[in-house]
Amino acid sequence: NNVFCANQIDPVAQSLLNLYPSANVNGGKTTNNYAVNIGTNQNTVQWDQRLDWNVSSKDQTFLRYSYLNAPATNTLPLGPILDGSAFGAGRVSNHAENVAASETHIFAPWLANEFRFGYSWGLFSFTQSNANTNVSAQLGLGGVPFGAGFPNNGGLPQGTVSGITAFGAPQYEPAVESQNVYQILDNVSIVLGKHSIRAGVSLQAIRFGANQPQASRGEYNY
């Protein structure tokens, strides 16, 4: 009678389908029948502080420190398990600190030197909401790496089925980036008659790390 028997329906697929929210617009039609407002909870702490000190008529120095911490959590369009969000829509962390110092010394009316030091640190991440929960195994989807050696890899694989909204966590999450940058800079200014000469050296140590595997939980397409 054009009806699937219960034993013909895969229980894992049925458990996923049961998580889809009910139609709420368009008169209950089978397409374009669900609308949701995606909320964002963000708490940003950001400040800068600078100290200037004129040591003498020949010495000026300053010290600056900047801080940023902007965590955010976004609502998931298909609920806390099925997810269905786009990249960057789960848990967001932007944490950065920066310090800079400078000292300018005038040796003579025609000779001055400026020394600067800078350090920048940052940790930026986008992780799916179920990053620390083995949701896949709970719903019967096997083979998804989780636990030791696979940090923040919880959640569902991304699944695309023709005719319905894709489910699962974004492909490129988790995405974690970190950086450490040191800089030493020295500039010398010389005035010789009608000529002005400037020379300097800049030394940088840049360390950058990224962990952003593609489809680390696998992918389903039907």
Side-chain angles (χ1 to χ4, degrees):
N1 296 321
N2 199 29
V3 175
F4 283 111
C5 297
N7 61 1
Q8 292 177 307
I9 301 176
D10 184 86
V12 176
Q14 186 64 66
S15 65
L16 290 171
L17 290 172
N18 289 341
L19 293 173
Y20 272 91
S22 300
N24 59 8
V25 295
N26 205 11
K29 294 182 180 180
T30 57
T31 59
N32 301 322
N33 56 10
Y34 177 65
V36 61
N37 290 322
I38 306 299
T40 298
N41 184 358
Q42 187 176 49
N43 183 22
T44 300
V45 177
Q46 182 177 9
W47 52 275
D48 300 277
Q49 184 171 342
R50 172 167 168 151
L51 175 66
D52 290 271
W53 182 25
N54 292 324
V55 183
S56 68
S57 60
K58 294 184 178 181
D59 282 286
Q60 294 85 40
T61 183
F62 81 82
L63 175 66
R64 177 184 54 78
Y65 175 75
S66 300
Y67 177 87
L68 167 68
N69 188 15
T73 303
N74 300 287
T75 304
L76 304 178
L78 298 181
I81 299 178
L82 207 57
D83 199 330
S85 63
F87 177 80
R91 292 180 299 178
V92 181
S93 175
N94 288 305
H95 189 185
E97 298 180 48
N98 178 271
V99 61
S102 174
E103 197 273 338
T104 301
H105 182 77
I106 300 175
F107 292 94
W110 53 273
L111 177 62
N113 184 82
E114 178 193 31
F115 174 81
R116 286 198 177 196
F117 170 80
Y119 173 68
S120 179
W121 172 87
L123 180 62
F124 316 101
S125 66
F126 298 93
T127 54
Q128 64 280 16
S129 293
N130 291 301
N132 298 316
T133 305
N134 196 6
V135 176
S136 297
Q138 295 175 4
L139 293 177
L141 296 173
V144 177
F146 184 81
F150 301 95
N152 299 315
N153 202 44
L156 291 178
Q158 190 175 78
T160 303
V161 182
S162 298
I164 62 176
T165 300
F167 66 86
Q171 278 190 334
Y172 287 92
E173 291 183 6
V176 181
E177 300 177 356
S178 61
Q179 68 177 32
N180 278 283
V181 179
Y182 298 86
Q183 183 181 34
I184 295 177
L185 181 73
D186 193 84
N187 292 318
V188 178
S189 300
I190 303 174
V191 178
L192 297 175
K194 297 182 179 181
H195 300 279
S196 178
I197 301 173
R198 296 197 68 186
V201 60
S202 176
L203 303 175
Q204 283 187 323
I206 301 175
R207 294 185 294 174
F208 181 82
N211 179 24
Q212 189 183 46
Q214 179 183 2
S216 60
R217 289 168 297 282
E219 181 182 359
Y220 292 93
N221 290 283
Y222 296 97

